[in-house]
Amino acid sequence: MDSVHDLGGKQGFGLVRFTQGAPVFHDDWELRANALYVLAVRRGIFNMDEYRHAIERMEPRHYLAAGYYERSLTGFAALCVEKGVVTREELEARAGGFFPLTLPLGPGRTNAPARVRFQPGARVRVKEEYVSGHVRMPAYIRGKTGVVVRESPPYPFPDAHAHGVKAENEPTYDVRFRAEDLWPNAADPADVHAAVFQSYLESV
Amino acid sequence: MDSVHDLGGKQGFGLVRFTQGAPVFHDDWELRANALYVLAVRRGIFNMDEYRHAIERMEPRHYLAAGYYERSLTGFAALCVEKGVVTREELEARAGGFFPLTLPLGPGRTNAPARVRFQPGARVRVKEEYVSGHVRMPAYIRGKTGVVVRESPPYPFPDAHAHGVKAENEPTYDVRFRAEDLWPNAADPADVHAAVFQSYLESV
Amino acid sequence: MSERHQSPAPVKARVAAIEQALEERGFPVAESIKEFTTLAEEKWIPENGARVVARAWTDQAFKQRLLENGRAAVAELDLAMPVHHRHLVVLENTPTLHNVIVCTQCSCTAFSIIGLPPDWYKDFEYRARVVRQSRTVLREMGLDLAPHIDIKVWDTTADTRYMVLPVQPPHTVGWSEQELAKLVSKESMIGVARL
Amino acid sequence: MSERHQSPAPVKARVAAIEQALEERGFPVAESIKEFTTLAEEKWIPENGARVVARAWTDQAFKQRLLENGRAAVAELDLAMPVHHRHLVVLENTPTLHNVIVCTQCSCTAFSIIGLPPDWYKDFEYRARVVRQSRTVLREMGLDLAPHIDIKVWDTTADTRYMVLPVQPPHTVGWSEQELAKLVSKESMIGVARL
C-alpha cells in the first residue's frame, strides 16, 4: 500500500540521530513488547508478513508519532484482536484507556500467474503496479529498470502471505538500480540494490 | 519535495470525519494564527509560495501530528525567523518552551528554459522530475499522460518564487487525467483535473 | 523515535509569543486580527457563492459569463477575490456529471466566494483519499452517486480556484433568486453534496 | 486535526494489558520474556558477526564460502539464523567500494549475526534518506568517503539478510582472529563506519 511506512527516498527528514554503540532498547517495556510478538509468531498466531502489514495499517499519524517498539506493539496487538485471541474491549479495560490498533485488513492477491525466470545480467523492469494490500516493492522502484545480479532462495509471496491468501514460494532477485535513475538529478550517485519478488518484475 | 505533505493518493487514511456545516475554526488561537500570517503576506514579509513551502519543510512527524492552523503557525513563524523579523530565541523565551520551526530552505530552480505552448486537446506528459525544493506537481501525476482542457492566466513559477529565485510568470494548464491511469486497478474511475505549470509539461 | 523528541510549548503560548514579538516591532497586530475576524465571519462566507449559484440558475446569460470567466462574473455581484486568485473556474454539475474539489498539497479554496474551508476539507483523510477513491469517499460522506453519474475531481494545484455549480432541484424552478440562494450550501459548492 | 484524536493509554499500560491477557489464556509470557532477554542480550550480539569477519580476514577459503553462501558459512562458526532468513548475503568492502545496509519499509536486519538493530537504524531519518542521499548521510554520520569510493546501498526488501564485510585495517595483518574480532563494530557491519 502507498502509505507513510514506505519511506525510501522521502524528503523532509533531518539528520540521523546517530551515536556509536547506540542502544537497541531504551526501556524494559520495549524488550517485553518485542518478546511478546516473537512469542506470537512462534505460536503461529500470525506470520511475519501479516505482522509487517499490520504495522503498515496503523493510522498514519500514529505510525509517524510512535517509536519502533510502539509500532511493533500496535501491529502485534491488532493481529491478536483480529485473530480472536483477545478483544479490544479487554485490552482497553486492562490498559485503562484507548488502545489504538490499525485500519482493517483489505484483500490480498496471489502470485503473478505468469512469471519469468531471470538470469544474472538480465535487464528487468519493476511493473507499474499499485497494490492496495501488502506489497514489498518500495514505491521508489515502481516502473524503474535495473539489472539482475543474482537469484535468492524462494520465499512465500508476501502480497498473499500477509492476507491469508495461498502464497506460493517464488524467487526474489537481487536487482541493481542506479540512484540517478530512481531520482534523476536529485540523489547522490550510488548503486541501490533491492530484493525484488519475481511477481513484481517483467522483462525489458 | 517528496515529503509527507504531498498526500494525494496516499493510502492508510481512514474515514473523512465529515459533518454538515463543519466549523472553520475550533478555537480563538486558530483564527489569530491565520490573521497573523495574512498580515505578514500583506506586509510583503513573504509570498504565498514561500509560505506553502515553509509548511512543507516542517519535520514530517510534526506535520502529521499538527492540525491545519498549527501547521500554518509553524510555517509563518519559521519564515519570520528566516527573514530576520524575529529570532527563535525570542519566540522560545516568550512561549516559555520549545517552538518547533522547519528544516532549512534549500535551493530553488528557475522556469524551464524551453517551454511549449499547448492547445486544448493536446496530449501532454508530466515530466519525470524529482524536485528537492518547492514544486506544485503532486507526485501522483509525475510521468503521467493527460489531455489539456484549457490554459489559465499566468502565475509566478512556484519552484522559483518559493526560494527567492527570479520567477517568470507562466501559464498553468488544466490537465485531465484518468484516475485509472494514475493508479491502475487501484482507484475509483474518475477524471482527475490538476492545474499544471507549463514548466512541468512536455509534449507526448 | 518519538521519545527522543522535545515537546513543544503549548500552541496558544506559541501564537501569543509571535503576536507579542510582532506587536513590539510595530506591526498592527490587534487591528489585523480584528479585520481578519470580520472578513472570516462576515465577508468570506458561503452566502456569496450561494448568490452566484442562484443568479446562474435564473439568468442564462450570467451563467454563460460565469462559466467563461468566473472572476469577472462574480464581480458583477460585487464579489471580490484576492489578487493572487487570478482565475475562478466554475464547474457545472449535470444530471450525469458530478464535480468535486480538493487541494491535496495544502488546503486551497476560493474562500472569498464559497467561504473558508471546513475542518474536514483540511484534514489528511480528505486530501489523501478523494482523488483516488472519489466515489467511495463521497459515499462515505453521505453522497451515494448513481452509477451513471461520472465524477470529475479538481485538485487545486495552482492559484486557480474552483467552485461547483450544483444542479438546480427541479421543484425550485420559478423560485426567486433570494429563495434559491438559501438552498445552496458550502458542501454543495465543494461538491461533497448535491441539492 | 490532532485535537480531534483520542489520546492513547500510556504505552507501558498497553504492553502490560496484552501481557496479562495472553498470560490469562495460558501463553508462557514470563518464560518468553526471559528467553527473549537472553537472546537479545547474550545471543544476538555483534560479537557473532565480528567472529565471522575475523575468520574471513584470516582464512581465504572461508571467505570464499562466506561470499558464496553466507548462511552455510556462518553455521561453521556455530552461528544460526532464524528459519525465515533463508539467505545471508555478505557484502565485501574494498578500497574503492563501500556497502551500506538499510530496510526502508520496516527495520529488517541479520540480527542473529550482527546484533539487533540500534535505535538510529530503525528511525525514519535513516530509512528515508540513506537510499537517496547515501554519501551525504554517511558523511553526516561521520563517514566521509573519498570521492573514488563507490557506494552500494542494500535495501532489505525481502527476507534475504545482509552483512558488510569491512576492509581489514592494514596495520592489523598478522593479528590473531581473537584480536581482530575485537576491532569489528556493529556499525562497520551495517556499513555506516569503516575500520
Side-chain angles (χ1 to χ4, degrees):
Chain A
M1 64 194 299
D2 290 316
S3 81
V4 291
H5 81 279
D6 190 9
L7 284 166
K10 287 291 174 300
Q11 298 178 305
F13 287 96
L15 296 177
V16 178
R17 285 159 296 177
F18 176 66
T19 50
Q20 292 282 348
V24 171
F25 300 104
H26 289 84
D27 201 313
D28 182 57
W29 71 261
E30 298 182 338
L31 188 146
R32 299 173 86 88
N34 200 325
L36 289 167
Y37 109 72
V38 170
L39 169 63
V41 172
R42 284 204 187 166
R43 287 296 177 108
I45 297 176
F46 49 82
N47 65 45
M48 285 300 297
D49 290 305
E50 293 177 298
Y51 167 69
R52 290 197 193 98
H53 188 46
I55 294 173
E56 294 164 3
R57 290 190 277 125
M58 284 173 69
E59 204 283 320
R61 296 174 188 81
H62 187 208
Y63 185 98
L64 271 201
Y68 176 78
Y69 295 103
E70 184 178 346
R71 296 196 297 276
S72 175
L73 167 70
T74 306
F76 153 61
L79 286 168
C80 286
V81 169
E82 292 174 7
K83 302 280 188 179
V85 177
V86 295
T87 65
R88 181 175 203 151
E89 291 65 35
E90 177 182 347
L91 290 180
E92 299 204 326
R94 289 188 188 271
F98 177 46
F99 199 131
L101 297 173
T102 69
L103 292 179
L105 181 68
R109 60 172 192 166
T110 55
N111 305 62
R115 299 193 299 275
V116 182
R117 190 85 183 257
F118 299 103
Q119 298 301 320
R123 280 172 57 79
V124 288
R125 186 183 297 115
V126 182
K127 295 175 190 170
E128 177 94 9
E129 289 182 325
Y130 293 80
V131 181
S132 300
H134 185 56
V135 62
R136 291 291 289 177
M137 172 213 71
Y140 72 78
I141 63 172
R142 179 160 44 206
K144 300 287 182 174
T145 296
V147 176
V148 168
V149 177
R150 68 167 124 183
E151 183 177 311
S152 277
Y155 295 106
F157 186 54
D159 306 33
H161 205 225
H163 290 264
V165 171
K166 188 178 157 10
E168 287 175 37
N169 283 342
E170 65 173 61
T172 61
Y173 291 94
D174 168 2
V175 181
R176 186 181 68 234
F177 302 90
R178 286 298 297 169
E180 303 93 307
D181 293 336
L182 300 175
W183 304 281
N185 301 308
D188 290 351
D191 283 340
V192 175
H193 289 250
V196 188
F197 281 84
Q198 192 180 29
S199 285
Y200 304 156
L201 290 172
E202 61 193 6
S203 303
V204 174
Chain B
M1 64 194 299
D2 290 316
S3 80
V4 290
H5 81 279
D6 191 8
L7 285 166
K10 287 292 172 301
Q11 298 179 303
F13 287 97
L15 295 177
V16 178
R17 286 159 296 176
F18 176 67
T19 50
Q20 292 281 349
V24 171
F25 300 104
H26 289 84
D27 201 314
D28 183 56
W29 71 263
E30 299 182 338
L31 188 145
R32 300 173 85 88
N34 200 325
L36 289 167
Y37 109 73
V38 170
L39 168 63
V41 171
R42 283 204 189 167
R43 286 296 178 108
I45 297 176
F46 50 81
N47 65 46
M48 286 298 299
D49 289 305
E50 293 177 297
Y51 167 70
R52 289 196 194 99
H53 188 46
I55 294 173
E56 294 164 4
R57 289 189 279 124
M58 285 173 70
E59 203 283 321
R61 297 174 188 81
H62 187 207
Y63 185 98
L64 270 199
Y68 176 78
Y69 294 102
E70 184 178 347
R71 297 196 297 276
S72 175
L73 168 71
T74 306
F76 153 63
L79 286 169
C80 286
V81 169
E82 292 174 7
K83 301 282 186 178
V85 177
V86 295
T87 66
R88 182 175 201 150
E89 292 64 35
E90 176 181 348
L91 290 180
E92 298 203 327
R94 289 188 187 272
F98 177 46
F99 198 131
L101 297 173
T102 70
L103 293 179
L105 181 68
R109 60 171 192 167
T110 55
N111 305 62
R115 299 194 299 276
V116 183
R117 190 84 183 255
F118 299 104
Q119 297 302 319
R123 279 170 60 78
V124 288
R125 187 183 298 112
V126 181
K127 294 175 189 168
E128 178 94 9
E129 289 182 327
Y130 294 80
V131 181
S132 299
H134 184 57
V135 62
R136 291 291 288 176
M137 171 213 71
Y140 71 79
I141 64 172
R142 179 160 43 206
K144 299 289 182 173
T145 297
V147 176
V148 167
V149 178
R150 70 167 123 184
E151 183 178 311
S152 277
Y155 295 106
F157 187 52
D159 306 34
H161 205 225
H163 289 264
V165 170
K166 189 178 156 14
E168 287 175 35
N169 283 341
E170 65 172 60
T172 62
Y173 291 94
D174 168 2
V175 180
R176 186 180 68 234
F177 302 91
R178 286 297 298 171
E180 302 94 307
D181 293 336
L182 300 174
W183 303 282
N185 301 309
D188 291 351
D191 283 340
V192 175
H193 290 251
V196 188
F197 281 84
Q198 193 180 29
S199 284
Y200 303 156
L201 290 171
E202 60 193 7
S203 302
V204 174
Chain C
M1 283 169 225
S2 58
E3 53 267 40
R4 291 193 282 144
H5 276 277
Q6 223 178 331
S7 280
V11 68
K12 287 183 193 190
R14 283 180 275 152
V15 174
I18 191 147
E19 250 182 72
Q20 292 156 12
L22 292 182
E23 197 136 57
E24 202 163 85
R25 281 157 180 80
F27 287 86
V29 168
E31 299 87 312
S32 296
I33 290 173
K34 199 168 156 227
E35 187 191 348
F36 180 80
T37 306
T38 306
L39 287 169
E41 293 178 354
E42 297 170 25
K43 299 290 183 194
W44 296 337
I45 52 176
E47 286 76 5
N48 299 335
R51 281 170 55 212
V52 174
V53 170
R55 174 69 57 88
W57 282 347
T58 53
D59 179 341
Q60 273 297 321
F62 176 78
K63 181 173 131 180
Q64 281 316 314
R65 294 195 298 280
L66 183 70
L67 295 176
E68 273 156 34
N69 184 338
R71 206 171 196 280
V74 302
E76 297 176 30
L77 304 189
D78 289 323
L79 295 174
M81 297 181 71
V83 277
H84 73 282
H85 293 181
R86 297 188 186 169
H87 198 188
L88 175 67
V89 176
V90 177
L91 310 166
E92 187 181 14
N93 281 352
T94 73
T96 58
L97 176 66
H98 186 80
N99 294 283
V100 58
I101 298 167
V102 63
C103 174
T104 59
Q105 294 178 308
C106 37
S107 299
C108 301
T109 45
F111 55 79
S112 68
I113 307 299
I114 68 172
L116 286 162
D119 51 19
W120 54 264
Y121 183 88
K122 295 171 284 191
D123 270 359
F124 304 136
E125 283 72 12
Y126 186 74
R127 287 170 51 192
R129 293 184 61 212
V130 80
V131 281
R132 185 161 176 175
Q133 294 187 280
S134 49
R135 195 172 295 267
T136 304
V137 170
L138 291 174
R139 188 189 310 118
E140 290 168 358
M141 294 173 77
L143 178 60
D144 195 359
L145 292 171
H148 70 275
I149 303 182
D150 290 333
I151 298 177
K152 279 181 182 287
V153 185
W154 299 78
D155 190 357
T156 312
T157 54
D159 278 327
T160 292
R161 292 294 179 269
Y162 306 95
M163 70 174 280
V164 176
L165 176 58
V167 175
Q168 181 175 4
H171 70 277
T172 65
V173 173
W175 289 20
S176 72
E177 240 180 276
Q178 286 74 6
E179 286 172 312
L180 288 170
K182 287 184 201 146
L183 292 176
V184 181
S185 63
K186 189 190 283 189
E187 288 85 359
S188 71
M189 293 184 288
I190 294 174
V192 298
R194 281 169 89 91
L195 299 174
Chain D
M1 284 170 228
S2 57
E3 52 268 39
R4 292 192 280 145
H5 276 278
Q6 225 178 329
S7 280
V11 68
K12 288 183 193 192
R14 283 180 275 151
V15 173
I18 191 146
E19 251 182 70
Q20 294 157 10
L22 292 182
E23 197 135 58
E24 202 163 87
R25 280 157 181 81
F27 287 87
V29 167
E31 299 89 309
S32 297
I33 290 173
K34 199 169 157 229
E35 187 191 349
F36 180 80
T37 306
T38 306
L39 287 169
E41 293 176 356
E42 297 170 25
K43 298 290 183 193
W44 296 338
I45 52 176
E47 286 76 6
N48 299 336
R51 283 171 55 214
V52 174
V53 170
R55 173 69 56 89
W57 284 346
T58 54
D59 180 340
Q60 274 297 321
F62 176 78
K63 182 173 131 181
Q64 282 315 314
R65 294 197 297 281
L66 183 69
L67 295 175
E68 271 156 35
N69 184 339
R71 206 172 195 280
V74 302
E76 297 177 29
L77 305 189
D78 289 324
L79 295 173
M81 298 181 69
V83 277
H84 73 284
H85 294 182
R86 298 189 186 169
H87 198 189
L88 176 66
V89 177
V90 177
L91 311 166
E92 186 181 16
N93 282 352
T94 74
T96 58
L97 175 66
H98 186 80
N99 293 283
V100 58
I101 298 168
V102 64
C103 173
T104 60
Q105 294 179 308
C106 36
S107 299
C108 301
T109 45
F111 53 80
S112 68
I113 307 300
I114 68 171
L116 286 162
D119 51 19
W120 54 265
Y121 183 90
K122 296 171 282 191
D123 270 0
F124 304 136
E125 282 72 13
Y126 186 74
R127 288 170 51 192
R129 294 184 59 211
V130 81
V131 281
R132 185 161 175 174
Q133 293 187 279
S134 49
R135 195 172 295 267
T136 304
V137 169
L138 291 173
R139 187 189 312 119
E140 291 168 358
M141 293 172 77
L143 178 60
D144 196 358
L145 292 172
H148 69 275
I149 302 181
D150 290 333
I151 298 177
K152 281 182 180 286
V153 185
W154 299 79
D155 190 358
T156 312
T157 54
D159 278 326
T160 292
R161 292 295 181 269
Y162 306 96
M163 72 173 280
V164 175
L165 176 58
V167 175
Q168 181 174 4
H171 71 278
T172 65
V173 173
W175 291 19
S176 73
E177 236 181 279
Q178 286 73 8
E179 287 171 311
L180 289 170
K182 286 184 199 144
L183 294 176
V184 182
S185 63
K186 190 190 281 189
E187 288 83 1
S188 72
M189 293 184 286
I190 294 175
V192 299
R194 280 169 91 91
L195 298 175

